[in-house]
Amino acid sequence: MGKQQICICNSLQEELQNIIVNTNHDHVFVLTDTHTEKYCLPLIRNVKGIDTAQMITIPADDINKNVESLSSVWSALSRHGATRHSLMINLGGGMVTDLGGFAASTFKRGIRYINIPTTLLSMVDAAVGGKTGINFNGLKNEVGVFNTSEYVLIDTEFLKTIDRTNLLSGYAEMLKHGLISTQEEWHRLLTFDMDEVNYEKLKEMVAASVAIKEKVVNEDPYEKGIRKALNLGHTVGHAFESLSFLSEKPLAHGYAVAFGLICELYLSHVNCGFPKTELQQILTFIKENYGVYAFGCSQYEELFELMTHDKKNESKDINFTLLSNIGEIHINQTASKEQIFEMFDFYRYSLGI
Ligand code: GLY
């Protein structure tokens, strides 16, 4: 997998123009969804090379990260004469960068592409590291390939207009990156004021967060080993997310991860000696900022069942990444059903459910 160049931009327009001017290509395509077409495209519309580019727009939201949208992108590329020497620019959140990355990676066996993430979640996670794909058969990210974009251009100015839910959703992935890095990074994240956002400080923290992910991905691009550290909070988080989709109140991905982190750090405490103080710190932070995700003991079996179907499991055991301290990572950990139910008890008791 090629190395990705990640740029935290001072001027997105200038960076983009430089890249377009210095890249050999015959056509430029810009992929947006209906939301980013309206709110983000105007910011780059006058950049040289974008002004003459062919626009492709797909419907917004994760529900449209499907084979129909993918097919519509392939059709548009084909109809407008894309060749192996064309360049595709994905402008949007994780849905656009995942689907667009997959479309570019497969069209004519692969064309070059650039990600311009517009949400916090896509800046610190989805757009970085080459995981591309679509949902299929009711399963998230079921079909896809590993293939990095040539560049990721991050402009944190976009964060000034996203809503609090989206901000917190991305911030959960930043908390995860802090937990697998250093005490210093972890404390910077815990003490950041989510109510009075300092965007200059946030920009520095985004850069640090992306660097943490980049280091892990460079070491293990295909998730054979240490990249599994990035799954911290996600084994339980995905089960919460799936369960919530069956109700009237679906959880945003990052919220599910935040609640998953509480559970998996409890398991880390019990199985690997993760310190109680840090467990209490994250509990307080998540409760104050994310609220609670409520479920009863009658749903433990269903959650357990959802966890056994997680594609991260390599055998019938449920696979976890756990920590013995901040930055001390243990991949390929398992837990008994009894321990998992105790973990749910701890979560509900601690959050007062
Ligand atoms: N989102 C986790 C990873 O990229 O591996």
Side-chain angles (χ1 to χ4, degrees), residues 131-274:
K131 281 189 180 175
T132 73
I134 55 164
N135 305 331
F136 187 68
N137 242 350
L139 298 167
K140 276 177 78 82
N141 302 323
E142 182 69 351
V143 181
V145 294
F146 283 99
N147 180 36
T148 45
S149 63
E150 227 154 273
Y151 294 90
V152 185
L153 301 182
I154 296 175
D155 185 351
T156 53
E157 283 298 301
F158 286 121
L159 301 180
K160 293 186 176 163
T161 51
I162 67 170
D163 60 30
R164 188 177 158 80
T165 303
N166 267 305
L167 193 73
L168 279 163
S169 192
Y171 202 77
E173 298 288 357
M174 292 174 67
L175 289 172
K176 177 194 79 181
H177 289 161
L179 284 162
I180 61 166
S181 61
T182 60
Q183 287 283 357
E184 196 189 349
E185 198 48 46
W186 173 238
H187 281 284
R188 181 155 74 146
L189 286 155
L190 272 192
T191 50
F192 186 68
D193 187 345
M194 298 302 296
D195 296 318
E196 291 286 331
V197 176
N198 175 334
Y199 287 97
E200 264 316 297
K201 210 170 157 190
L202 183 60
K203 182 175 178 177
E204 287 167 22
M205 287 160 66
V206 166
S209 197
V210 169
I212 295 164
K213 173 154 187 186
E214 194 184 6
K215 184 167 175 283
V216 173
V217 169
N218 286 344
E219 219 174 296
D220 175 26
Y222 297 105
E223 203 173 303
K224 302 278 183 229
I226 195 61
R227 186 166 181 167
K228 292 181 189 175
L230 300 174
N231 295 334
L232 180 69
H234 284 65
T235 304
V236 179
H238 280 154
F240 285 165
E241 200 175 359
S242 302
L243 190 69
S244 78
F245 282 137
L246 305 171
S247 72
E248 275 162 26
K249 277 185 116 188
L251 277 175
H253 174 73
Y255 279 63
V257 171
F259 300 126
L261 282 174
I262 295 178
C263 292
E264 294 184 21
L265 290 178
Y266 168 76
L267 265 191
S268 296
H269 170 66
V270 174
N271 288 4
C272 303
F274 184 78

Side-chain angles (χ1 to χ4, degrees), residues 59-94:
D61 297 327
D62 199 68
I63 194 163
N64 294 304
K65 198 172 110 177
N66 56 23
V67 73
E68 287 77 26
S69 305
L70 176 67
S71 167
S72 76
V73 177
W74 283 329
S75 297
L77 289 170
S78 197
R79 208 170 46 249
H80 296 289
T83 71
R84 267 203 179 158
H85 306 290
S86 297
L87 176 69
M88 184 144 133
I89 296 167
N90 300 319
L91 178 69

Side-chain angles (χ1 to χ4, degrees), residues 90-108:
N90 300 319
L91 178 69
M95 183 272 195
V96 169
T97 58
D98 280 10
L99 186 146
F102 188 40
S105 304
T106 45
F107 188 78
K108 301 229 186 245

Side-chain angles (χ1 to χ4, degrees), residues 105-116:
S105 304
T106 45
F107 188 78
K108 301 229 186 245
R109 298 205 176 90
I111 63 175
R112 300 155 87 183
Y113 76 101
I114 294 172
N115 282 338
I116 306 179

